Amino acid sequence: MTELLRIGLLGAGRIGQVHARTIVQRVTSAQLVAIADPMPGAAATLAARFGVTQVTTDCLDIIRDPNIDAVMICTPTTTHCEYIIAAAQHGKHIFCEKPIALTLAETDQALAAVAAAGVKLQIGFNRRFDANFMRVQQAVATGQIGDARMLHIISRDPAPPPIDYIKTSGGIFLDMTIHDWDIARFLIGADIEEVYVQGGVMVDQAIGAAGDIDTHITMVRFVNGVIGTIDNCRQAVYGYDQRAEVFGSLGIIETGNNFPNAATLSTATAVQRDLPLNFFMQRYIEAYAAEIEAFVAAVTSTSTVPVDGTDARKALVAGLAAWQSYHSGRPVKLSEIG
Amino acid sequence: MTELLRIGLLGAGRIGQVHARTIVQRVTSAQLVAIADPMPGAAATLAARFGVTQVTTDCLDIIRDPNIDAVMICTPTTTHCEYIIAAAQHGKHIFCEKPIALTLAETDQALAAVAAAGVKLQIGFNRRFDANFMRVQQAVATGQIGDARMLHIISRDPAPPPIDYIKTSGGIFLDMTIHDWDIARFLIGADIEEVYVQGGVMVDQAIGAAGDIDTHITMVRFVNGVIGTIDNCRQAVYGYDQRAEVFGSLGIIETGNNFPNAATLSTATAVQRDLPLNFFMQRYIEAYAAEIEAFVAAVTSTSTVPVDGTDARKALVAGLAAWQSYHSGRPVKLSEIG
Amino acid sequence: MTELLRIGLLGAGRIGQVHARTIVQRVTSAQLVAIADPMPGAAATLAARFGVTQVTTDCLDIIRDPNIDAVMICTPTTTHCEYIIAAAQHGKHIFCEKPIALTLAETDQALAAVAAAGVKLQIGFNRRFDANFMRVQQAVATGQIGDARMLHIISRDPAPPPIDYIKTSGGIFLDMTIHDWDIARFLIGADIEEVYVQGGVMVDQAIGAAGDIDTHITMVRFVNGVIGTIDNCRQAVYGYDQRAEVFGSLGIIETGNNFPNAATLSTATAVQRDLPLNFFMQRYIEAYAAEIEAFVAAVTSTSTVPVDGTDARKALVAGLAAWQSYHSGRPVKLSEIG
Amino acid sequence: MTELLRIGLLGAGRIGQVHARTIVQRVTSAQLVAIADPMPGAAATLAARFGVTQVTTDCLDIIRDPNIDAVMICTPTTTHCEYIIAAAQHGKHIFCEKPIALTLAETDQALAAVAAAGVKLQIGFNRRFDANFMRVQQAVATGQIGDARMLHIISRDPAPPPIDYIKTSGGIFLDMTIHDWDIARFLIGADIEEVYVQGGVMVDQAIGAAGDIDTHITMVRFVNGVIGTIDNCRQAVYGYDQRAEVFGSLGIIETGNNFPNAATLSTATAVQRDLPLNFFMQRYIEAYAAEIEAFVAAVTSTSTVPVDGTDARKALVAGLAAWQSYHSGRPVKLSEIG
């Protein structure tokens, strides 16, 4: 592969648009050559913005196209497995948004297809590529804080997604905490052994009516004995709250939010600064670029991808265990799930 | 009581010395008139520093002294009940360090004696008088963050106490978390309903051998539905870590550590500041003064004390529930304890 | 001009490379079509990185090219006037790095040519497009701090430029403070009336031998009565120090440095964070994109450019006045210069 | 002097009250035995608060009292010289609020009397005893920032003093900047060589009518080549602004304001904290205690006082030079003054 990696994009929705822009504007070793979206006109509109000529409403057109090296799957979760399997069978490398599926059975099918085809599969756990979380991970991994003892993750969205999304998303533990299960493993460098959930509906009763909760704290214990908490809420009026800290025998590493500027205003009333960056499009713009650069680097070399299918599976297991803990009111071991 | 409140101090140990200094130097409406400590010379040494003339090795001497209006009980926990009961019977107002006792039975005996005598009893939950925690409480109580949803308390000591202390202290949930049970109730303005503990020995195996643990995170649920966590460790190498945050529907209030100065040094290596204040003697010096001022104000007026015996009892119940959760590995309701 | 703005780049050096990348990757309404650099191979190397096909060693080739709409002048300062004049005569819109020239006579010639041709000229005062300085300016302009009284600018480079650069740069007041003269006017919204310099050689005697100084504080007085200081040093071992504050009758707005991450590490030694972003390539990457987007927007519409030739002239006058103050040891009015 | 140092207080006004409280409540090696104030009742009122029995309306009563070891002069500036001279002649050690006098002649008379009597004289430059400024000084003195290059001091009061005070205070350079002249010397460890002032009336025209200004920035050059600025304003609506930074070859040390608590509130509008401590009574309460402890320690031992009459004289000279610079519009060397 001495030329630019030729990428086809499946799904021209919100995250598909982010990735399209990233590939075109930031990733010099790849090019976006085709876009598919079943909604009429969606692919064409996005393609026009970035000078992409090949558009289709059938994702399989791209998967089957022999001139395409890799696909980015940004379609709804329910379609991920089908496209992963098809793409693997056609020898395409795959970047897939999280989660792979809402069930272990489907996830395992997809992973088996990827393994059988020998293609590379990277999962869109973008936070691993964020400068703040990378710095925390580095401090832990290099021993700057000694032996880790405790972890705290706070991850709150500025506002809830539409109720229609919640109905099919798998709920908070699979659509939102899914990032935190992964970043927890990334920061501590060990798998989660057990979870215990306290949570409920505090933001909007309609979320409860849809079978979901909107607020929880989950206690996690890792296989290496580290204990920690994950705090999620679907609504934080002050913006996207994305913090983490790891406390260890030699110190603590903490990271806070990112802000649109470094200015402080002091008046007769208060000392204040502007709110943190509002949501993931602002907060993780650099991380999105870095994860795709890493994907392109991996599939155009002999390297492994930095976040693979087993990472996705482990996050799914944690999410399913969390639901079981929530419903049963007791701590649940991940080994009970699968 | 038109004159200065005449206070007798029981116990000339570490916290007794703090309170002696506070009464003499900071509390203009009271005077320290007598000091008792069973260790020969201890009372006299302390008395000499602050110009106190009346010393004894028998705490009951002070309790029985008709010229004394109030006693401060700073003796070992095992003696608190006896002295509370005796002081109440002699009509003395009482300031007692936490906890009252390690069992509910003893605690209830002491509270009954106080009630029967009609004296005032204040418990030494000094953190309620700290400017940082007061500001958090104020934000919650006045609605600045709307309806509270989640609480996080981090409370870590710089170094563990002596093993001998741990052997009789009731363990981490009664000697250390005791402050956090209380401050949690104070910040949220509601009682704790249930606790779930994850923890163990991460700092020193000798602590485990003494029957205690040194590190835990406890999930708490309050009767009003708020959920939260308390994070304790007996060793934080960077100093006394005393933080809290309450997240609500309209915002979040957070408070951090106090530092010896506001200076920042930037060199070719890092941007740095000096470590936070190392321990409670530095961190809570103002809070100790404020709690005694509040006690003196209450007993010299018709006001109630700001932290009373029922607050002590509730913290004890939470601590006992936490031990039960730790040993059983399941969530424990405080109503199971008493 | 219904199509993309066709830009030719003059100068493939450090800042030329920054702008080339920005146009290609960030500015969707323009395209980079040609690169000129007198050093053999320089233009070609840069062109290859960004898929530009037209390269030359003669800047005038680009200036004369009828297919090019606008030029970006990133050549050495001594050539700016010649290229501005030539470009204006060929009807090209011009983006020119600061300063236009080191003398008022040349600057005025260039501005006259621009005026005569009716083309648009924007100067590369990138800091006006930085989120931090924009926020300060906004606070001042919208009255959030009331009537401005005092300004402080701190602007220190991590390390000095090569001595060869210093020999022809016009010295610190024209190669470095040039940005601060402009940002001072931008923040206060008024022209500088008088300057008074204290400074000297504190970093490297070779800088003094080259006829320059490396450290100064300059007092400035604005025509509206605001007073302020500009602090420059060619070496700050902790990185690029870019701060400003404006104090007014209703408050103060301050802005600090930008950092590579928001993480804080606390150990037994200190509480620390990583150093600020090291230099302009990191610190102002977004500002460079924003200034070119603003240029493209202006020349493809009827708008005026946000930073024009008179802004460049005023910064030059301030720099010349500062040199005069330094040499004479007295306050110098800008009206003495021209 | 094997007993407590017996101190007499001259002046029961604002700062006299601060010092009275400090001696009584904080300084264990001294006692306040007498208070004098010419205003009828003033001394008695203050004396009653702190259990002092000896009161008078004639300061000389205290100065002549053979049972008093030291005097604290907290009377109006115009009386300082007379009382210093009288106290020295009566062999009393002296703590005197700044400045000694508004003229060099009087100051030198007072210093001569002190020298002749061999008593100790400490000046009330309290900021030298503040933890923040001490930390900055320590960083400079111990080489943590290498060779100092530049200093910035910001010192703004929350609100102007009464116009009547201003009329006799010597104006901003002698009543307010007097602290900054001293702290500048303290931080840099060198004397000021030259000053240049820009300033005027920006807060209240009545201040101008009283012959004073309310806002200035003064450029200072030290004899060791360090350059710096002092920024003063008589009104900062956000509170008492007391900052400093020293930049050197190996780094920078900066210090900010002190706050009543460490809490941060984030709402849908802004991230904010409470205003800094409002004025010197809050900000420097610990520094006031420390300076008196240092005075008592010096006069009860063979040590020299940490801030002496020559420090007061040097601050006065700088203030007089600043007025001359303001009126002449040119830099003024301190050697021109005396």
mmCIF file of all heavy atoms in Angstrom, chain C residues 149-150 152 194 196 198 217 221 231 235 243 245 247 254 331, chain D residues 149-150 152 194 196 198 217 219 221 231 235 243 245 247 254 331:
data_model
loop_
_atom_site.group_PDB
_atom_site.id
_atom_site.type_symbol
_atom_site.label_atom_id
_atom_site.label_comp_id
_atom_site.label_asym_id
_atom_site.label_seq_id
_atom_site.Cartn_x
_atom_site.Cartn_y
_atom_site.Cartn_z
ATOM 1 N N ARG C 149 -8.627 51.201 32.657
ATOM 2 C CA ARG C 149 -7.667 52.090 33.304
ATOM 3 C C ARG C 149 -6.228 51.661 33.008
ATOM 4 O O ARG C 149 -5.379 52.494 32.757
ATOM 5 C CB ARG C 149 -7.879 52.059 34.818
ATOM 6 C CG ARG C 149 -9.192 52.664 35.275
ATOM 7 C CD ARG C 149 -9.421 52.426 36.753
ATOM 8 N NE ARG C 149 -10.685 52.997 37.182
ATOM 9 C CZ ARG C 149 -11.250 52.753 38.363
ATOM 10 N NH1 ARG C 149 -10.653 51.941 39.227
ATOM 11 N NH2 ARG C 149 -12.397 53.298 38.673
ATOM 12 N N MET C 150 -5.958 50.376 33.086
ATOM 13 C CA MET C 150 -4.577 49.911 32.942
ATOM 14 C C MET C 150 -4.528 48.602 32.161
ATOM 15 O O MET C 150 -5.443 47.779 32.248
ATOM 16 C CB MET C 150 -3.950 49.720 34.319
ATOM 17 C CG MET C 150 -3.882 51.037 35.105
ATOM 18 S SD MET C 150 -2.707 51.016 36.479
ATOM 19 C CE MET C 150 -3.772 50.386 37.784
ATOM 20 N N HIS C 152 -1.751 45.352 31.073
ATOM 21 C CA HIS C 152 -0.441 44.712 31.187
ATOM 22 C C HIS C 152 -0.353 43.577 30.176
ATOM 23 O O HIS C 152 -1.228 42.711 30.148
ATOM 24 C CB HIS C 152 -0.213 44.147 32.592
ATOM 25 C CG HIS C 152 -0.136 45.189 33.654
ATOM 26 N ND1 HIS C 152 0.899 46.091 33.730
ATOM 27 C CD2 HIS C 152 -0.973 45.495 34.678
ATOM 28 C CE1 HIS C 152 0.702 46.894 34.765
ATOM 29 N NE2 HIS C 152 -0.427 46.575 35.350
ATOM 30 N N GLU C 194 2.358 57.503 23.746
ATOM 31 C CA GLU C 194 3.719 57.705 24.230
ATOM 32 C C GLU C 194 4.274 56.397 24.768
ATOM 33 O O GLU C 194 3.526 55.579 25.299
ATOM 34 C CB GLU C 194 3.698 58.749 25.359
ATOM 35 C CG GLU C 194 5.067 59.204 25.823
ATOM 36 C CD GLU C 194 4.968 60.225 26.951
ATOM 37 O OE1 GLU C 194 4.663 61.390 26.668
ATOM 38 O OE2 GLU C 194 5.166 59.823 28.118
ATOM 39 N N TYR C 196 7.769 54.635 27.000
ATOM 40 C CA TYR C 196 8.997 54.832 27.769
ATOM 41 C C TYR C 196 9.578 53.456 28.041
ATOM 42 O O TYR C 196 8.893 52.578 28.587
ATOM 43 C CB TYR C 196 8.734 55.568 29.087
ATOM 44 C CG TYR C 196 9.946 55.583 29.984
ATOM 45 C CD1 TYR C 196 11.056 56.379 29.670
ATOM 46 C CD2 TYR C 196 10.006 54.773 31.112
ATOM 47 C CE1 TYR C 196 12.182 56.369 30.475
ATOM 48 C CE2 TYR C 196 11.137 54.766 31.929
ATOM 49 C CZ TYR C 196 12.222 55.563 31.603
ATOM 50 O OH TYR C 196 13.343 55.537 32.386
ATOM 51 N N GLN C 198 12.460 50.727 29.539
ATOM 52 C CA GLN C 198 13.583 50.278 30.352
ATOM 53 C C GLN C 198 13.951 48.888 29.844
ATOM 54 O O GLN C 198 13.076 48.032 29.716
ATOM 55 C CB GLN C 198 13.199 50.177 31.836
ATOM 56 C CG GLN C 198 13.289 51.460 32.596
ATOM 57 C CD GLN C 198 14.724 51.885 32.901
ATOM 58 O OE1 GLN C 198 15.683 51.176 32.584
ATOM 59 N NE2 GLN C 198 14.848 53.066 33.485
ATOM 60 N N ILE C 217 10.871 46.341 29.569
ATOM 61 C CA ILE C 217 9.503 46.699 29.917
ATOM 62 C C ILE C 217 9.278 48.083 29.337
ATOM 63 O O ILE C 217 10.098 48.984 29.530
ATOM 64 C CB ILE C 217 9.264 46.750 31.434
ATOM 65 C CG1 ILE C 217 9.633 45.414 32.088
ATOM 66 C CG2 ILE C 217 7.795 47.093 31.730
ATOM 67 C CD1 ILE C 217 9.546 45.441 33.618
ATOM 68 N N ARG C 221 1.325 54.910 27.113
ATOM 69 C CA ARG C 221 0.129 55.682 27.429
ATOM 70 C C ARG C 221 -0.690 55.805 26.159
ATOM 71 O O ARG C 221 -0.148 56.103 25.087
ATOM 72 C CB ARG C 221 0.466 57.066 27.976
ATOM 73 C CG ARG C 221 -0.765 57.721 28.652
ATOM 74 C CD ARG C 221 -0.500 59.098 29.206
ATOM 75 N NE ARG C 221 -0.131 60.018 28.162
ATOM 76 C CZ ARG C 221 0.974 60.756 28.167
ATOM 77 N NH1 ARG C 221 1.812 60.699 29.183
ATOM 78 N NH2 ARG C 221 1.251 61.550 27.138
ATOM 79 N N ASP C 231 5.851 43.782 28.553
ATOM 80 C CA ASP C 231 7.026 43.102 29.098
ATOM 81 C C ASP C 231 7.448 42.048 28.089
ATOM 82 O O ASP C 231 6.669 41.151 27.755
ATOM 83 C CB ASP C 231 6.600 42.474 30.438
ATOM 84 C CG ASP C 231 7.533 41.397 30.964
ATOM 85 O OD1 ASP C 231 8.083 40.610 30.163
ATOM 86 O OD2 ASP C 231 7.673 41.312 32.192
ATOM 87 N N GLN C 235 13.821 35.105 26.160
ATOM 88 C CA GLN C 235 14.038 33.762 26.717
ATOM 89 C C GLN C 235 13.239 33.560 28.006
ATOM 90 O O GLN C 235 13.496 34.233 28.997
ATOM 91 C CB GLN C 235 15.529 33.555 27.020
ATOM 92 C CG GLN C 235 15.833 32.178 27.581
ATOM 93 C CD GLN C 235 17.117 32.178 28.392
ATOM 94 O OE1 GLN C 235 17.288 32.939 29.342
ATOM 95 N NE2 GLN C 235 18.042 31.336 27.972
ATOM 96 N N ARG C 243 0.541 36.499 28.089
ATOM 97 C CA ARG C 243 -0.550 36.879 28.983
ATOM 98 C C ARG C 243 -0.947 38.330 28.783
ATOM 99 O O ARG C 243 -0.173 39.128 28.272
ATOM 100 C CB ARG C 243 -0.106 36.693 30.445
ATOM 101 C CG ARG C 243 0.083 35.254 30.847
ATOM 102 C CD ARG C 243 0.594 35.151 32.274
ATOM 103 N NE ARG C 243 2.019 35.423 32.361
ATOM 104 C CZ ARG C 243 2.645 35.849 33.455
ATOM 105 N NH1 ARG C 243 1.949 36.115 34.558
ATOM 106 N NH2 ARG C 243 3.942 36.043 33.454
ATOM 107 N N GLU C 245 -3.752 41.477 30.710
ATOM 108 C CA GLU C 245 -4.870 41.819 31.575
ATOM 109 C C GLU C 245 -5.230 43.273 31.387
ATOM 110 O O GLU C 245 -4.367 44.126 31.145
ATOM 111 C CB GLU C 245 -4.568 41.514 33.052
ATOM 112 C CG GLU C 245 -3.432 42.256 33.666
ATOM 113 C CD GLU C 245 -3.212 41.829 35.135
ATOM 114 O OE1 GLU C 245 -2.642 40.751 35.347
ATOM 115 O OE2 GLU C 245 -3.595 42.579 36.033
ATOM 116 N N PHE C 247 -7.505 46.187 33.358
ATOM 117 C CA PHE C 247 -8.185 46.544 34.600
ATOM 118 C C PHE C 247 -9.036 47.776 34.352
ATOM 119 O O PHE C 247 -8.579 48.743 33.734
ATOM 120 C CB PHE C 247 -7.125 46.837 35.669
ATOM 121 C CG PHE C 247 -7.631 47.554 36.894
ATOM 122 C CD1 PHE C 247 -8.508 46.933 37.772
ATOM 123 C CD2 PHE C 247 -7.209 48.844 37.174
ATOM 124 C CE1 PHE C 247 -8.954 47.595 38.916
ATOM 125 C CE2 PHE C 247 -7.654 49.511 38.314
ATOM 126 C CZ PHE C 247 -8.531 48.886 39.177
ATOM 127 N N GLU C 254 -8.374 39.001 32.688
ATOM 128 C CA GLU C 254 -7.002 38.518 32.588
ATOM 129 C C GLU C 254 -6.983 37.259 31.740
ATOM 130 O O GLU C 254 -7.911 36.458 31.833
ATOM 131 C CB GLU C 254 -6.469 38.079 33.953
ATOM 132 C CG GLU C 254 -6.613 39.055 35.062
ATOM 133 C CD GLU C 254 -6.389 38.375 36.411
ATOM 134 O OE1 GLU C 254 -5.236 38.071 36.747
ATOM 135 O OE2 GLU C 254 -7.391 38.129 37.119
ATOM 136 N N PRO C 331 10.809 59.423 27.909
ATOM 137 C CA PRO C 331 9.546 59.095 27.241
ATOM 138 C C PRO C 331 9.506 59.729 25.852
ATOM 139 O O PRO C 331 9.985 60.866 25.682
ATOM 140 C CB PRO C 331 8.485 59.731 28.148
ATOM 141 C CG PRO C 331 9.175 60.084 29.428
ATOM 142 C CD PRO C 331 10.616 60.239 29.129
ATOM 143 N N ARG D 149 15.265 39.033 36.555
ATOM 144 C CA ARG D 149 15.309 39.995 35.450
ATOM 145 C C ARG D 149 14.229 41.062 35.597
ATOM 146 O O ARG D 149 14.473 42.228 35.348
ATOM 147 C CB ARG D 149 15.101 39.260 34.122
ATOM 148 C CG ARG D 149 16.234 38.326 33.750
ATOM 149 C CD ARG D 149 15.871 37.500 32.530
ATOM 150 N NE ARG D 149 16.953 36.594 32.161
ATOM 151 C CZ ARG D 149 16.841 35.588 31.304
ATOM 152 N NH1 ARG D 149 15.678 35.371 30.696
ATOM 153 N NH2 ARG D 149 17.871 34.816 31.028
ATOM 154 N N MET D 150 13.029 40.644 35.931
ATOM 155 C CA MET D 150 11.914 41.588 35.953
ATOM 156 C C MET D 150 10.976 41.289 37.116
ATOM 157 O O MET D 150 10.804 40.142 37.506
ATOM 158 C CB MET D 150 11.143 41.513 34.635
ATOM 159 C CG MET D 150 12.025 41.908 33.436
ATOM 160 S SD MET D 150 11.079 42.349 31.953
ATOM 161 C CE MET D 150 10.906 40.731 31.189
ATOM 162 N N HIS D 152 7.028 42.404 38.725
ATOM 163 C CA HIS D 152 5.758 43.121 38.590
ATOM 164 C C HIS D 152 5.000 43.015 39.900
ATOM 165 O O HIS D 152 4.795 41.913 40.417
ATOM 166 C CB HIS D 152 4.895 42.538 37.463
ATOM 167 C CG HIS D 152 5.491 42.698 36.104
ATOM 168 N ND1 HIS D 152 5.640 43.922 35.506
ATOM 169 C CD2 HIS D 152 6.005 41.799 35.241
ATOM 170 C CE1 HIS D 152 6.203 43.764 34.314
ATOM 171 N NE2 HIS D 152 6.442 42.486 34.130
ATOM 172 N N GLU D 194 15.980 54.068 40.243
ATOM 173 C CA GLU D 194 15.284 55.082 39.447
ATOM 174 C C GLU D 194 13.813 54.720 39.314
ATOM 175 O O GLU D 194 13.456 53.537 39.283
ATOM 176 C CB GLU D 194 15.918 55.147 38.050
ATOM 177 C CG GLU D 194 15.429 56.303 37.184
ATOM 178 C CD GLU D 194 16.085 56.294 35.812
ATOM 179 O OE1 GLU D 194 17.252 56.714 35.706
ATOM 180 O OE2 GLU D 194 15.433 55.841 34.851
ATOM 181 N N TYR D 196 10.018 55.915 37.224
ATOM 182 C CA TYR D 196 9.333 56.713 36.211
ATOM 183 C C TYR D 196 7.846 56.426 36.339
ATOM 184 O O TYR D 196 7.419 55.279 36.298
ATOM 185 C CB TYR D 196 9.815 56.371 34.800
ATOM 186 C CG TYR D 196 8.972 57.039 33.734
ATOM 187 C CD1 TYR D 196 9.056 58.418 33.522
ATOM 188 C CD2 TYR D 196 8.064 56.312 32.978
ATOM 189 C CE1 TYR D 196 8.263 59.036 32.566
ATOM 190 C CE2 TYR D 196 7.264 56.925 32.032
ATOM 191 C CZ TYR D 196 7.370 58.290 31.823
ATOM 192 O OH TYR D 196 6.574 58.918 30.889
ATOM 193 N N GLN D 198 3.748 56.941 35.389
ATOM 194 C CA GLN D 198 2.601 57.354 34.583
ATOM 195 C C GLN D 198 1.380 57.172 35.471
ATOM 196 O O GLN D 198 1.208 56.102 36.067
ATOM 197 C CB GLN D 198 2.443 56.459 33.336
ATOM 198 C CG GLN D 198 3.303 56.854 32.174
ATOM 199 C CD GLN D 198 2.771 58.090 31.445
ATOM 200 O OE1 GLN D 198 1.714 58.632 31.789
ATOM 201 N NE2 GLN D 198 3.529 58.536 30.463
ATOM 202 N N ILE D 217 1.075 53.592 37.262
ATOM 203 C CA ILE D 217 2.055 52.535 37.071
ATOM 204 C C ILE D 217 3.412 53.209 37.153
ATOM 205 O O ILE D 217 3.654 54.221 36.492
ATOM 206 C CB ILE D 217 1.933 51.824 35.716
ATOM 207 C CG1 ILE D 217 0.527 51.252 35.534
ATOM 208 C CG2 ILE D 217 2.971 50.698 35.612
ATOM 209 C CD1 ILE D 217 0.295 50.640 34.150
ATOM 210 N N MET D 219 7.461 52.590 36.722
ATOM 211 C CA MET D 219 8.570 51.744 36.293
ATOM 212 C C MET D 219 9.707 51.942 37.280
ATOM 213 O O MET D 219 10.045 53.074 37.626
ATOM 214 C CB MET D 219 9.023 52.206 34.908
ATOM 215 C CG MET D 219 10.165 51.419 34.344
ATOM 216 S SD MET D 219 9.578 50.088 33.292
ATOM 217 C CE MET D 219 9.153 51.028 31.819
ATOM 218 N N ARG D 221 13.797 50.795 38.304
ATOM 219 C CA ARG D 221 15.024 50.073 37.966
ATOM 220 C C ARG D 221 15.820 49.940 39.251
ATOM 221 O O ARG D 221 15.981 50.908 40.008
ATOM 222 C CB ARG D 221 15.846 50.803 36.909
ATOM 223 C CG ARG D 221 16.953 49.902 36.333
ATOM 224 C CD ARG D 221 17.768 50.569 35.247
ATOM 225 N NE ARG D 221 18.538 51.669 35.820
ATOM 226 C CZ ARG D 221 18.518 52.907 35.344
ATOM 227 N NH1 ARG D 221 17.777 53.203 34.283
ATOM 228 N NH2 ARG D 221 19.224 53.851 35.925
ATOM 229 N N ASP D 231 2.022 48.709 40.091
ATOM 230 C CA ASP D 231 0.707 49.139 39.599
ATOM 231 C C ASP D 231 -0.171 49.343 40.813
ATOM 232 O O ASP D 231 -0.381 48.424 41.591
ATOM 233 C CB ASP D 231 0.182 48.023 38.682
ATOM 234 C CG ASP D 231 -1.318 48.078 38.404
ATOM 235 O OD1 ASP D 231 -2.100 48.447 39.305
ATOM 236 O OD2 ASP D 231 -1.709 47.710 37.296
ATOM 237 N N GLN D 235 -8.943 51.918 43.818
ATOM 238 C CA GLN D 235 -10.254 51.272 43.750
ATOM 239 C C GLN D 235 -10.234 50.074 42.808
ATOM 240 O O GLN D 235 -10.012 50.225 41.611
ATOM 241 C CB GLN D 235 -11.307 52.267 43.260
ATOM 242 C CG GLN D 235 -12.705 51.669 43.194
ATOM 243 C CD GLN D 235 -13.577 52.400 42.191
ATOM 244 O OE1 GLN D 235 -13.240 52.527 41.007
ATOM 245 N NE2 GLN D 235 -14.694 52.900 42.667
ATOM 246 N N ARG D 243 -0.784 41.169 44.183
ATOM 247 C CA ARG D 243 -0.054 40.150 43.433
ATOM 248 C C ARG D 243 1.377 40.585 43.171
ATOM 249 O O ARG D 243 1.688 41.771 43.192
ATOM 250 C CB ARG D 243 -0.743 39.915 42.086
ATOM 251 C CG ARG D 243 -2.084 39.236 42.205
ATOM 252 C CD ARG D 243 -2.739 39.085 40.842
ATOM 253 N NE ARG D 243 -3.336 40.322 40.378
ATOM 254 C CZ ARG D 243 -3.547 40.637 39.103
ATOM 255 N NH1 ARG D 243 -3.171 39.820 38.139
ATOM 256 N NH2 ARG D 243 -4.107 41.793 38.773
ATOM 257 N N GLU D 245 5.093 39.095 40.829
ATOM 258 C CA GLU D 245 5.822 38.041 40.136
ATOM 259 C C GLU D 245 7.236 38.509 39.864
ATOM 260 O O GLU D 245 7.485 39.686 39.607
ATOM 261 C CB GLU D 245 5.116 37.614 38.850
ATOM 262 C CG GLU D 245 4.961 38.661 37.794
ATOM 263 C CD GLU D 245 4.226 38.110 36.566
ATOM 264 O OE1 GLU D 245 2.984 37.993 36.640
ATOM 265 O OE2 GLU D 245 4.881 37.807 35.561
ATOM 266 N N PHE D 247 10.466 37.328 37.476
ATOM 267 C CA PHE D 247 10.880 36.497 36.349
ATOM 268 C C PHE D 247 12.399 36.476 36.302
ATOM 269 O O PHE D 247 13.040 37.523 36.432
ATOM 270 C CB PHE D 247 10.308 37.110 35.062
ATOM 271 C CG PHE D 247 10.924 36.602 33.791
ATOM 272 C CD1 PHE D 247 10.732 35.285 33.387
ATOM 273 C CD2 PHE D 247 11.686 37.442 32.988
ATOM 274 C CE1 PHE D 247 11.295 34.818 32.195
ATOM 275 C CE2 PHE D 247 12.242 36.985 31.807
ATOM 276 C CZ PHE D 247 12.052 35.674 31.410
ATOM 277 N N GLU D 254 5.289 33.488 40.839
ATOM 278 C CA GLU D 254 4.148 34.401 40.834
ATOM 279 C C GLU D 254 3.298 34.121 42.051
ATOM 280 O O GLU D 254 3.150 32.972 42.443
ATOM 281 C CB GLU D 254 3.230 34.128 39.638
ATOM 282 C CG GLU D 254 3.882 34.090 38.313
ATOM 283 C CD GLU D 254 2.952 33.435 37.285
ATOM 284 O OE1 GLU D 254 1.997 34.089 36.845
ATOM 285 O OE2 GLU D 254 3.199 32.267 36.921
ATOM 286 N N PRO D 331 12.000 60.267 34.069
ATOM 287 C CA PRO D 331 12.564 59.340 35.045
ATOM 288 C C PRO D 331 13.366 60.108 36.092
ATOM 289 O O PRO D 331 14.058 61.071 35.756
ATOM 290 C CB PRO D 331 13.493 58.457 34.209
ATOM 291 C CG PRO D 331 13.158 58.729 32.780
ATOM 292 C CD PRO D 331 12.523 60.071 32.705
#
